[in-house]
Amino acid sequence: MPRKFFALTCMALTGSVISLVSGCSNTSKQKCSVAQSAKKCNIATADLSIIPQPTAMATAREEFFILDASTKIKIDKSLYDGAKFFVNRVSNAGFTPAVVTSCTTVENNSVVFAVDNAIGEEGYILEVTPKNVVIKASTAKGAFYATQSLRQMLPVSMEKEVLNITAIKIPAVKIADEPRFKWRGMMLDSCRHFTEVSDIKKIIDLMAMYKMNTFHWHLTEDQGWRLAIDKYPLLTEKGAFRKDTLLTHNRTLGKKDAKWAGKSYGNFYSKEEAKDIVKYAAERFITVIPEIELPGHSVAAVHAYPWLSCEGKDKAVWTRWGISDDIYCAGKESTFKFLEDVLTETMDIFPSKIIHIGGDEAKKNKWKKCQLCQKRIKDNNLKDEHELQSYFIKRINKFVQSKGREIIGWDEILEGGLAEGAMVMSWRGTRGGIKAAKMGHNVVMTPGSHCYFDHYQSKNKANEPLAIGGFTNVAKVYQFNPTNGLNKEEAKFIQGGQANVWHEYIRDQKYREYMIFPRLLALSEAVWTPMEKKNYDDFKKRLEKHYKRFDTLGVNYRRHDKK
Ligand code: ACM
Ligand code: ZN
């Protein structure tokens, strides 16, 4: 993508770039003369602090474009859905430049969003000179990412209030940018603890600011079924509620250290709410991938409809953590009918090409004892219960494919044979992902070591809120390279990376944000920025600016250098 890019090579990182011109200050355009130093290539990639670091960027210190009420914003219609975010933000300055969508010829004192079909789907070029601002992209999505870079160049105070200023100085810069990976994701587990719709939207906004494009939404679990399904109303009437919640680690069970909430817990998303999230995310160029877990992690569904299990007995929705023995019966046709119905309704809500079907941590002991499951093994000449799991996933895969969609599953779906065309989400390290890539399957890397945001962020655990374990600080996330261990050919199958935010102990938004920020920013750079442009020391400097933005936006974050 941005093939025709600039020759500037000086990439220092100093100096302040944004300032406001307020009240009766001189807003004359002549003030922004070309700095002598810039001519001598004493060019600073000023303190633009963009995260993720763009693919290529250079700036001429002391050159600015002055945006004021006389500036014309010219937007190609096809880019409008991305560009409008810039228009909305500028309106926070307190003045309203004219917006035209009929012509995009570049003229002085204009901000132009123009089409350039040589640029890739998610890429953009952004050039700010004292004369104008020119954004080029081939899609509204690329234009949107340009607006997110521009947003990070605008005063922090514009995030929130309407300012009473007459102009904004935007630093001269030239950026040519495109992502390293297609899949830049984060998963929220809204089952162990529920995430309010407004909180999801806040997180989607923040994901979008960092050019993340995939929101993986974990919706069914042992501890609660969270998505309304018309054909099976008991899934949410019964399956969305549990009697209590363990507030401590599983290892405290049966000991005096175990603490319980002592009250029931539950909630679910109506179809309208889920569709609203899909729409909200789509407007910010984020795809929502729903996850309907199978064949394990199914206790809440079994509580609603006990016939889904091998034994056909009721099971209380789980109040503790860990891996349950309960599993959908693979021997009954009614199980597949149920799952096909659920997936059909799910696909009606979520237009994503990819549907997550779970597949992890499915214990096989119930299948070993179930006559129907054993008959299924025999009738299909399967070797064992691992091949039965593979049979299960392959059937679901075929169904999902018949609807024009594709499946992704946790790396356990490799066991017993991988379904045709299935994508693999590698979480038990990268081994499963590497194996799948070598087999020619698409892969999303999300190894626990670097991508599990339910891990502690400090070795000093006593000073941290309760987490599942592990140690994954910002520096560790930053080191994440999704193609580690793969040759060039194999690396082509790596679609990207993703953070997973499991919610056993994350009970509210404040804690959620503490676990996500700024680790998500480190991940965004790991999945967007070319390896050779990554620099952790520089990232840490840029982070400081983002902390200020978070303060303004009311985001609860954990400073990377907190002890
Ligand atoms: C997982 O963390 N069980 C996918
Ligand atoms: Zn069975």
Side-chain angles (χ1 to χ4, degrees), residues 310 329-331 367 370 372-373:
C310 290
C329 179
W367 282 357
C370 171
L372 291 175
C373 285

Side-chain angles (χ1 to χ4, degrees), residues 302-335:
V302 167
H303 176 58
Y305 298 102
W307 49 263
L308 288 167
S309 67
C310 290
E311 297 139 320
K313 285 197 204 128
D314 187 13
K315 281 275 159 179
V317 177
W318 258 26
T319 54
R320 47 165 288 185
W321 318 120
I323 307 170
S324 164
D325 283 346
D326 290 287
I327 189 161
Y328 291 120
C329 179
K332 295 177 189 168
E333 278 307 292
S334 52
T335 299

Side-chain angles (χ1 to χ4, degrees), residues 356-418:
H356 204 303
I357 52 79
D360 62 318
E361 300 176 325
K363 290 217 204 162
K364 313 291 188 308
N365 29 343
K366 301 249 163 160
W367 282 357
K368 282 196 179 126
K369 291 190 217 134
C370 171
Q371 276 183 5
L372 291 175
C373 285
Q374 290 305 313
K375 181 170 181 323
R376 180 83 76 192
I377 288 176
K378 198 157 161 256
D379 290 351
N380 290 277
N381 294 320
L382 305 174
K383 201 167 79 209
D384 56 16
E385 288 73 24
H386 293 296
E387 289 201 358
L388 183 57
Q389 156 136 341
S390 172
Y391 166 90
F392 202 116
I393 304 288
K394 281 176 181 161
R395 252 185 96 158
I396 295 294
N397 184 44
K398 217 168 173 179
F399 176 75
V400 171
Q401 283 182 345
S402 76
K403 303 283 177 194
R405 312 289 185 98
E406 288 165 19
I407 67 160
I408 187 167
W410 301 108
D411 58 63
E412 287 93 330
I413 67 169
L414 279 151
E415 292 161 12
L418 191 50

Side-chain angles (χ1 to χ4, degrees), residues 379-526:
D379 290 351
N380 290 277
N381 294 320
L382 305 174
K383 201 167 79 209
D384 56 16
E385 288 73 24
H386 293 296
E387 289 201 358
L388 183 57
Q389 156 136 341
S390 172
Y391 166 90
F392 202 116
I393 304 288
K394 281 176 181 161
R395 252 185 96 158
I396 295 294
N397 184 44
K398 217 168 173 179
F399 176 75
V400 171
Q401 283 182 345
S402 76
K403 303 283 177 194
R405 312 289 185 98
E406 288 165 19
I407 67 160
I408 187 167
W410 301 108
D411 58 63
E412 287 93 330
I413 67 169
L414 279 151
E415 292 161 12
L418 191 50
E420 204 182 316
M423 260 176 103
V424 171
M425 188 167 266
S426 192
W427 71 281
R428 298 176 300 175
T430 54
R431 230 180 26 211
I434 290 173
K435 185 172 172 195
K438 286 183 191 295
M439 290 161 67
H441 285 250
N442 283 337
V443 168
V444 176
M445 287 294 194
T446 176
S449 54
H450 294 76
C451 297
Y452 269 47
F453 289 4
D454 56 342
H455 284 182
Y456 282 102
Q457 303 182 68
S458 167
K459 289 191 171 154
N460 187 0
K461 293 181 185 173
N463 274 0
E464 293 293 308
L466 187 69
I468 198 126
F471 171 60
T472 304
N473 62 0
V474 176
K476 186 88 185 273
V477 178
Y478 196 83
Q479 286 163 13
F480 176 46
N481 175 12
T483 58
N484 246 358
L486 288 168
N487 67 32
K488 218 170 158 189
E489 270 314 294
E490 293 158 353
K492 285 185 188 153
F493 294 99
I494 308 301
Q495 300 301 299
Q498 174 174 298
N500 293 330
V501 192
W502 297 105
H503 271 55
E504 282 90 339
Y505 309 104
I506 299 178
R507 289 191 276 274
D508 59 35
Q509 179 73 358
K510 204 166 165 216
Y511 183 17
R512 186 174 298 121
E513 291 175 8
Y514 181 88
M515 298 303 269
I516 296 175
F517 302 103
R519 288 192 284 195
L520 185 70
L521 282 62
L523 184 80
S524 83
E525 199 144 311

Side-chain angles (χ1 to χ4, degrees), residues 171-287:
V173 70
K174 188 156 185 182
I175 295 174
D177 207 5
E178 67 175 339
R180 180 173 171 214
F181 291 105
K182 271 195 207 157
W183 185 299
R184 304 181 299 280
M186 184 164 75
M187 183 219 66
L188 287 189
D189 161 17
S190 295
C191 299
R192 271 53 176 264
H193 284 96
F194 189 76
T195 329
E196 296 295 338
V197 168
S198 58
D199 292 333
I200 293 180
K201 286 184 176 175
K202 183 177 177 187
I203 287 172
I204 285 174
D205 279 335
L206 290 159
M207 286 175 71
M209 176 150 76
Y210 297 104
K211 305 185 178 91
M212 302 297 285
N213 66 0
T214 306
F215 168 43
H216 166 182
W217 201 8
H218 187 75
L219 287 164
T220 73
E221 254 307 338
D222 300 320
Q223 292 84 0
W225 184 285
R226 301 278 173 244
L227 181 66
I229 299 291
D230 295 337
K231 251 194 185 161
Y232 301 96
L234 298 184
L235 286 172
T236 43
E237 277 172 37
K238 293 180 74 180
F241 298 88
R242 60 180 183 250
K243 291 215 165 76
D244 207 339
T245 300
L246 180 64
L247 301 179
T248 46
H249 285 133
N250 255 356
R251 62 174 172 271
T252 64
L253 282 168
K255 301 191 182 133
K256 66 176 182 343
D257 310 348
K259 286 201 185 73
W260 293 88
K263 57 182 180 198
S264 61
Y265 182 93
N267 211 338
F268 63 90
Y269 304 99
S270 68
K271 285 191 167 178
E272 289 65 39
E273 285 170 326
K275 282 180 188 164
D276 181 40
I277 293 285
V278 169
K279 180 169 176 286
Y280 192 85
E283 283 164 2
R284 287 151 186 80
F285 301 91
I286 289 177
T287 303

